Amino acid sequence: MDDGSSCPTDSAGLLPLIAGSPTAEGLEEKLRRVREENRRLASTLGAILAGRPDLRALARAPASAVTTAWAPSGSASNAAREEAAGVTVEPRPKVRTVCARAEPADTDANLGVKDGYQWRKYGQKVTRDNPHPRSYFRCAFAPSCPVKKKVQRDAEDRSKLVATYEGEHNHAKSPEREFVGNESTGYARSQPCSVSINPSGRTIRLEDMTNHGSGSRLDLETIQREVVTPEFQNLLLDKMVNSLKNDADFMHALTNAVAERILENFPARLS
DNA sequence: CGTTTTTGACCCGCGC
DNA sequence: GCGCGGGTCAAAAACG
């Protein structure tokens, strides 16, 4: 969503049809609220993107740009040394470390399913240098997919998560599991309109973005850090479209209003 | 009842 | 050889 004006959920074009219909009062109010929220979101995103061009570039950067060596065994640094020495090394699984923020309520188990892939937890271990347990996940398509993932909270900053991915997926994401929640509707069961926007699964809710005043759990900087990707903006649009499409009351009232309007304008043709 | 998660035991590599 | 620590296994428990 660039400025919200091209947003497919913007129903301004439908309003003339709905306005004036006695059965559409509630619907109109509903639309008005959605549009107002949409405007706030668009404004927030606009401010973010306008003020932080560096974040735009970061959002488009390939995954390798944030690749670091987890390397408890020192494999990445060893590989670099060996290559520098002209020694042929066997290709090693790509190791990618991603940091993200997490809410205290987020459990490590949840972290395994929010990045678009399905994960199966196969172990947990408390490591020496960190009081928080490290969780081990395998791709659900294992053994055909060799990717593994380790997730651990930062030892000093509990709200910071460190996820380490080893290897690369040899299959597509699982769209139906991209969001935690009802698979048939795409709705989050307990977190309506929540969207996972990064590989570690940090979830941002619409209310977090729209109510970034007092009492908000996320400040603007956090949003700037995490809501800059085009993928997120597309997901946001999808969520809003789905939230209207799956609202039976909304669809019913909309259908009635449109039908009434048609009958009102073309009574002769239809009779 | 099938699937997923938990958790203690085990394995393996590394340093001393 | 031994101890330590990280990673994995697998049986039990929990869950839907």
Side-chain angles (χ1 to χ4, degrees):
Chain A
M1 148 188 11
D2 31 17
D3 59 3
S5 60
S6 62
C7 173
T9 58
D10 186 342
S11 308
L14 292 174
L15 285 179
L17 282 176
I18 297 164
S21 168
T23 62
E25 286 175 7
L27 174 62
E28 193 174 12
E29 170 63 16
K30 201 175 247 180
L31 268 175
R32 193 189 60 75
R33 284 200 303 268
V34 170
R35 291 180 66 198
E36 193 176 324
E37 182 168 74
N38 188 27
R39 209 164 29 241
R40 282 202 302 268
L41 289 173
S43 153
T44 303
L45 285 173
I48 292 166
L49 295 177
R52 299 293 299 271
D54 52 328
L55 289 178
R56 285 198 215 197
L58 187 62
R60 291 189 177 88
S64 58
V66 293
T67 296
T68 58
W70 173 285
S73 57
S75 59
S77 55
N78 285 344
R81 275 197 300 273
E82 287 166 11
E83 280 179 1
V87 178
T88 303
V89 295
E90 285 189 21
R92 298 174 191 274
K94 190 178 246 181
V95 178
R96 186 162 63 99
T97 301
V98 178
C99 297
R101 305 204 75 78
E103 294 171 39
D106 282 347
T107 65
D108 286 346
N110 287 341
L111 303 176
V113 295
K114 287 186 186 175
D115 55 7
Y117 293 98
Q118 288 179 261
W119 299 94
R120 181 159 301 163
K121 188 174 182 178
Y122 66 91
Q124 178 171 309
K125 193 87 174 179
V126 176
T127 55
R128 217 165 76 97
D129 54 344
N130 192 330
H132 305 118
R134 174 183 299 168
S135 295
Y136 298 89
F137 297 91
R138 245 193 291 265
C139 180
F141 286 90
S144 65
C145 178
V147 181
K148 291 177 190 172
K149 165 179 163 180
K150 290 179 281 196
V151 178
Q152 190 171 32
R153 292 185 187 277
D154 189 282
E156 294 166 357
D157 183 359
R158 186 181 152 72
S159 66
K160 185 173 163 187
L161 287 168
V162 180
T164 303
Y165 295 80
E166 289 183 36
E168 302 210 39
H169 293 278
N170 53 16
H171 56 90
K173 287 185 178 184
S174 307
E176 73 276 16
R177 294 296 294 272
E178 194 153 5
F179 308 108
V180 176
N182 187 321
E183 294 183 7
S184 62
T185 64
Y187 275 110
R189 269 192 298 262
S190 57
Q191 301 174 352
C193 290
S194 63
V195 185
S196 174
I197 62 168
N198 67 38
S200 65
R202 169 72 177 97
T203 296
I204 290 183
R205 299 178 184 83
L206 289 180
E207 57 266 32
D208 288 331
M209 297 168 60
T210 54
N211 302 329
H212 50 77
S214 61
S216 171
R217 279 170 295 185
L218 289 173
D219 56 21
L220 190 57
E221 271 193 25
T222 304
I223 295 172
Q224 284 181 332
R225 192 166 47 245
E226 301 192 86
V227 192
V228 295
T229 65
E231 289 81 359
F232 170 76
Q233 293 161 22
N234 289 333
L235 288 174
L236 195 57
L237 281 180
D238 288 343
K239 278 289 168 185
M240 297 181 74
V241 170
N242 278 331
S243 71
L244 289 177
K245 273 197 321 193
N246 290 280
D247 186 330
D249 290 342
F250 174 89
M251 292 308 291
H252 184 68
L254 180 61
T255 305
N256 285 341
V258 170
E260 278 185 25
R261 192 68 177 186
I262 290 173
L263 287 172
E264 194 177 301
N265 287 343
F266 309 101
R269 293 191 188 183
L270 295 175
S271 58

